[in-house]
Amino acid sequence: MLLAEISYHPDKNASNPEASELFKEVAYSYNILSDPERRRQYDTAGFEAIDADGTDMEIDLSNLGTVNTMFAALFSKLGVPIKTTISANVLEEALTGTITVKPLPLGSSISGKVEKQSAHFFDVTVNEEQAKAGIVVRVTSAAQSKFKLLYFENDIDGGYNLTLQEDSEKTGKVTSAGMYFLHFQVYRMDSTVNALEIAKDPEAGFFRRLEGLQPCEVMEIKVGTHTFAVYGDNFFKTASYTIEALCAATYESSTYKLKDVEQQILRKRTELRQFETDYRKALAQYQEVTNRYTLEKQNVDELLKQRDNIQSAFTVNKSPGIPGSKINNGGINSHEDNRLSEEDAKDKPTAKKRWFNLSLKFSSDKKFN
C-alpha cells in the first residue's frame, strides 16, 4: 500500500492526471482496509455494503498499531480526511470526574500543548446577560495540529458526559474548531461527509463540497459553569493550541454576518444540487456529440477517398507495371505514335550516311601512298 501511494502521489506525477485518480483510489482503499468493520463489510458484500452504510468512518488510534498509525498519518498529511474516535481513557476519566479543570474566563485565551489522545479541560462560567447575548468558544492552532474541541455536561454523579465535539479543520494557514451558542442555527463543516464517494468520483467533490455543512446540535448555552476540552488528535506528536471564550455581545456585527453568509451557503447548496443534474445531463450530451463528431469525420474522409478513387478511374492509364501504359501529351497511345512515325519516314528523302557526322569526299585524281 505504501509503495502504491508513493508511486501515484500527485507531487510525483504533476503532469499525469491519471496518477492523481489512482492515488485517490489507493486512499479510498486504505480507508476501508484500515477499518476492521468496513473491511468485514467489504469482504462480505463488496463496495455496495460500504456505500449503503451512512455512518462516518472513525479510527481508534489506540488500537490501530504503529504501522497502521503511520499509514493514517501519511494519508491525513496528504489531505485524505480520516476521522478518529476519542480515547476511551479520556472519556472514562471524564465520566468518573478524575480530571484536572482550569478556569477560562470569558474574553480570555489560554495556549498550550496537549499530548496525543489526551485532553486539557477548561471551565467557562456564564452569567445571565452573557447567556442571553450568546457565547463562542474557539480553538486554533498555528502549527496546524489536529485536535478536537469537546463540550461536556455535568453528570449527577459528579462526572462529565460528552455532549458535543468538533474536529479541527484547516482554514487558511491554521487549523480551527469552534462552538457557537448564538440562539440561531449555526452550521459546522464536516470534510468527512461523502469522503468515500468523492474519492471514487473526484468530479463530485465540487458538487458535494457544501454537503459537509451540518447543523450544530446546540444553539444556546444556559447560565452556569460549562466544561470544554481540547483533545490532541495528532497521530504521533503533541498538539499546539490556543483556546478562547468570547461573549457575542462584543461581536454583534460578526454575529449577523455569520447568520447571513450561512443562509447564502444553504441556498447555494440547493442550487448546486440542481446544477449537478443539469451539468451531468449536458456532459452526457457533450460526450454524445463528441462521439458523433469523430464518427462523422471518419465518414467524410472515407467518402472523399472513394470520390478520388472513382475520379482516377476516368483514364486510359492502367495499373503501374503494365507495358504500353504511358500517355503522351496528346493523349495518343504509344503504339499509334510508332505507326505514324514509320509512315512519315517513307515520305522523307533518304539522307546521306555520315561517318561520325563527318562528310567524306574523294577525288579520282587523288592517290594514296
Side-chain angles (χ1 to χ4, degrees):
M1 179 72 73
L2 180 59
L3 291 177
E5 182 277 326
I6 293 175
S7 299
Y8 298 130
H9 186 257
D11 289 348
K12 293 184 175 293
N13 298 273
S15 60
N16 185 3
E18 294 183 0
S20 178
E21 304 307 315
L22 290 172
F23 168 75
K24 292 173 182 177
E25 291 181 10
V26 172
Y28 173 64
S29 301
Y30 169 78
N31 275 326
I32 296 173
L33 298 177
S34 61
D35 187 308
E37 177 60 22
R38 288 184 175 272
R39 182 167 184 171
R40 183 192 63 78
Q41 293 175 349
Y42 172 77
D43 291 339
T44 303
F47 287 113
E48 290 75 11
I50 298 171
D51 293 339
D53 184 6
T55 60
D56 293 330
M57 292 186 303
E58 292 189 347
I59 297 175
D60 185 355
L61 294 179
S62 61
N63 297 325
L64 199 58
T66 303
V67 175
N68 283 333
T69 301
M70 290 177 62
F71 278 120
L74 179 60
F75 280 108
S76 178
K77 187 70 174 179
L78 297 173
V80 179
I82 297 177
K83 202 166 186 177
T84 58
T85 60
I86 301 172
S87 167
N89 291 335
V90 170
L91 296 177
E92 184 179 355
E93 290 174 357
L95 190 60
T96 57
T98 57
I99 57 175
T100 300
V101 184
K102 295 180 180 180
L104 177 61
L106 283 173
S108 67
S109 64
I110 296 177
S111 299
K113 292 184 177 181
V114 59
E115 294 292 332
K116 62 184 180 70
Q117 301 170 46
S118 299
H120 289 174
F121 292 81
F122 303 91
D123 273 348
V124 178
T125 302
V126 181
N127 61 34
E128 185 174 354
E129 183 180 354
Q130 293 166 338
K132 185 178 180 180
I135 301 298
V136 175
V137 177
R138 293 185 72 247
V139 181
T140 58
S141 173
Q144 298 186 2
S145 298
K146 284 174 57 66
F147 59 85
K148 299 178 188 292
L149 174 59
L150 311 178
Y151 173 57
F152 293 84
E153 288 185 346
N154 293 330
D155 187 74
I156 56 175
D157 295 328
Y160 304 88
N161 287 317
L162 179 64
T163 304
L164 300 173
Q165 76 173 56
E166 296 292 339
D167 289 75
S168 61
E169 295 280 349
K170 188 175 180 180
T171 52
K173 296 182 179 181
V174 302
T175 50
S176 64
M179 294 185 180
Y180 302 83
F181 308 97
L182 300 174
H183 302 283
F184 60 83
Q185 185 64 73
V186 179
Y187 295 81
R188 57 186 175 85
M189 184 62 73
D190 187 353
S191 61
T192 63
V193 173
N194 297 314
L196 290 178
E197 181 179 356
I198 292 173
K200 291 189 295 181
D201 181 11
E203 192 176 58
F206 168 71
F207 295 105
R208 300 290 184 272
R209 186 177 180 183
L210 297 184
E211 299 297 332
L213 198 68
Q214 303 294 315
C216 297
E217 292 84 352
V218 180
M219 294 184 291
E220 61 183 44
I221 202 168
K222 297 179 180 180
V223 176
T225 299
H226 303 270
T227 303
F228 296 86
V230 180
Y231 177 83
D233 209 21
N234 280 338
F235 293 98
F236 294 104
K237 60 183 181 179
T238 59
S240 302
Y241 69 88
T242 297
I243 183 172
E244 50 189 342
L246 308 168
C247 179
T250 314
Y251 303 89
E252 186 175 353
S253 176
S254 297
T255 300
Y256 287 124
K257 288 179 180 179
L258 176 63
K259 184 177 182 179
D260 179 64
V261 74
E262 288 194 339
Q263 291 302 314
Q264 292 183 49
I265 293 174
L266 291 175
R267 290 193 293 270
K268 180 59 66 177
R269 181 171 65 180
T270 302
E271 293 174 6
L272 282 180
R273 289 169 179 169
Q274 180 59 46
F275 176 55
E276 181 181 12
T277 302
D278 298 339
Y279 173 79
R280 301 283 185 187
K281 184 177 180 180
L283 191 64
Q285 292 175 342
Y286 171 78
Q287 187 63 49
E288 181 180 351
V289 297
T290 301
N291 292 339
R292 180 178 175 182
Y293 170 84
T294 302
L295 181 61
E296 294 291 0
K297 185 176 183 299
Q298 293 174 349
N299 289 339
V300 168
D301 291 342
E302 181 62 28
L303 289 173
L304 291 176
K305 183 178 179 180
Q306 291 181 22
R307 177 177 176 271
D308 292 342
N309 291 337
I310 292 173
Q311 287 181 340
S312 65
F314 289 94
T315 177
V316 294
N317 186 19
K318 306 300 181 182
S319 299
I322 299 177
S325 62
K326 293 183 179 180
I327 301 176
N328 296 320
N329 293 336
I332 303 175
N333 188 279
S334 59
H335 292 295
E336 297 175 352
D337 185 37
N338 292 337
R339 185 170 59 253
L340 292 175
S341 298
E342 292 174 358
E343 293 175 355
D344 292 341
K346 293 178 180 179
D347 298 334
K348 293 180 180 180
T350 303
K352 291 183 178 180
K353 293 183 179 181
R354 297 183 178 184
W355 185 73
F356 288 100
N357 286 331
L358 297 176
S359 204
L360 302 178
K361 295 181 181 181
F362 299 94
S363 174
S364 56
D365 299 331
K366 201 88 171 176
K367 293 183 181 180
F368 293 98
N369 294 327

